[in-house]
Amino acid sequence: MQLAIIIMAAGKGTRMKSDLPKVLHQANGKPIVSYVIEKSLALQPERTILIIGHKGEMVRTATQHYSGIEWALQEPQLGTGHAVMQAEPALEGFRGDILILSGDAPLITETTIANLQQHHHTRSAAATVLTADMDDPTGYGRIIRNAESGDVEKIVEQKDASPEEQKVQEINSGVYMFNAEKLFGALKRITNTNAQQEYYLTDVFGIFFNDGERISAYKTPHGDEIRGINTPDQLREAEELLRDED
């Protein structure tokens, strides 16, 4: 099955207390997005598209030495769903799997991505989300599973979660595998009627569920891999883990 990868790298990263695009903050001497790009290219995808936004030309310049990278501009930034929409023109006619990765999560491994893709096909899913259990899931989207099938019913963002949903400890990593045609079909149907007034990529899961599509979840036992970097402290922690990786 053909594979295309979309890397989300448009964010500002205000909690980093710097005007530098978040994905260009360095860990052990290179931008955090470089780790994600290198692991992506190692999978030998047909297409690799970097979604850029805040200071996009700076991100493009910092990543242009990678062979096989394309860029799609998200301007203005209207949410994760809107970000993925910007890659649709480049992927017109593509009929394989689409892997969505976060440019600020450099600890993901090729092994976990391979396991995610295998699970996606074993379950014959329209979409598969990479998840993990967290003792303190505050700030993360929650995975709401169907009580009977165990498949995913929806993903609820922290700000939109009910008190009961906020008790769920299985969290959304922001890493997904999609059937390309079904993904772009569902993106045309999402709205921005939520607390942030943004187009959430996670809303496609509710659309799939209502359409009777299978939504699966692959839970990694390695929770560190899905850590996103949002603060200087988290960057320092990731640096240590990346050194261990080497």
Side-chain angles (χ1 to χ4, degrees):
M1 178 64 73
Q2 289 191 318
L3 176 67
I5 299 177
I6 297 173
I7 301 173
M8 310 286 259
K12 188 178 290 188
T14 51
R15 284 189 282 166
M16 295 300 293
K17 299 176 181 175
S18 163
D19 199 38
L20 189 70
K22 180 164 64 167
V23 298
L24 295 187
H25 283 81
Q26 295 205 351
N28 301 325
K30 68 180 179 182
I32 55 176
V33 72
S34 294
Y35 293 93
V36 184
I37 291 171
E38 289 164 12
K39 290 168 185 177
S40 297
L41 295 177
L43 298 168
Q44 299 184 311
E46 274 64 41
R47 311 288 290 276
T48 303
I49 300 170
L50 203 64
I51 307 295
I52 57 176
H54 175 65
K55 295 196 172 181
E57 281 307 309
M58 186 183 290
V59 178
R60 185 197 296 261
T61 299
T63 56
Q64 64 185 2
H65 60 287
Y66 289 107
S67 177
I69 289 284
E70 303 167 63
W71 300 267
L73 178 65
Q74 184 194 21
E75 186 59 52
Q77 284 95 57
L78 301 175
T80 50
H82 179 256
V84 175
M85 291 176 199
Q86 309 317 303
E88 184 175 9
L91 292 172
E92 186 175 358
F94 182 77
R95 294 290 180 267
D97 294 331
I98 292 181
L99 171 66
I100 309 283
L101 295 174
S102 296
D104 67 348
L107 294 161
I108 190 76
T109 65
E110 294 162 43
T111 300
T112 292
I113 292 170
N115 290 341
L116 173 69
Q117 189 171 26
Q118 182 180 19
H119 182 90
H120 179 71
H121 287 286
T122 300
R123 299 290 288 167
S124 300
T128 304
V129 55
L130 181 66
T131 72
D133 286 330
M134 287 212 169
D135 292 336
D136 180 8
T138 303
Y140 288 91
R142 306 303 202 281
I143 303 298
I144 309 301
R145 291 182 181 257
N146 182 274
E148 293 180 8
S149 69
D151 284 335
V152 178
E153 200 164 293
K154 61 180 177 176
I155 300 173
V156 184
E157 300 297 327
Q158 168 85 27
K159 292 180 180 178
D160 298 301
S162 69
E164 196 62 30
E165 289 168 340
Q166 289 188 21
K167 294 177 184 175
V168 173
Q169 290 182 298
E170 186 178 9
I171 61 96
N172 174 24
S173 69
V175 175
Y176 315 98
M177 190 77 69
F178 288 103
N179 170 285
E181 291 178 272
K182 291 177 180 177
L183 169 62
F184 289 119
L187 281 172
K188 290 178 173 62
R189 297 161 60 189
I190 65 175
T191 69
N192 66 343
T193 52
N194 51 61
Q196 297 291 89
Q197 293 189 303
E198 292 184 347
Y199 294 92
Y200 291 150
L201 177 58
T202 48
D203 283 352
V204 303
F205 289 90
I207 290 170
F208 286 154
F209 181 78
N210 290 332
D211 287 352
E213 299 282 5
R214 168 164 276 172
I215 311 158
S216 194
Y218 172 71
K219 188 187 293 186
T220 175
H222 308 296
D224 279 341
E225 282 189 38
I226 65 174
R227 286 188 186 193
I229 293 173
N230 294 299
T231 68
D233 285 345
Q234 290 173 347
L235 179 60
R236 284 190 286 272
E237 290 168 6
E239 280 190 304
E240 291 181 19
L241 291 166
L242 287 164
R243 277 196 291 269
D244 292 343
E245 208 175 83
D246 295 337

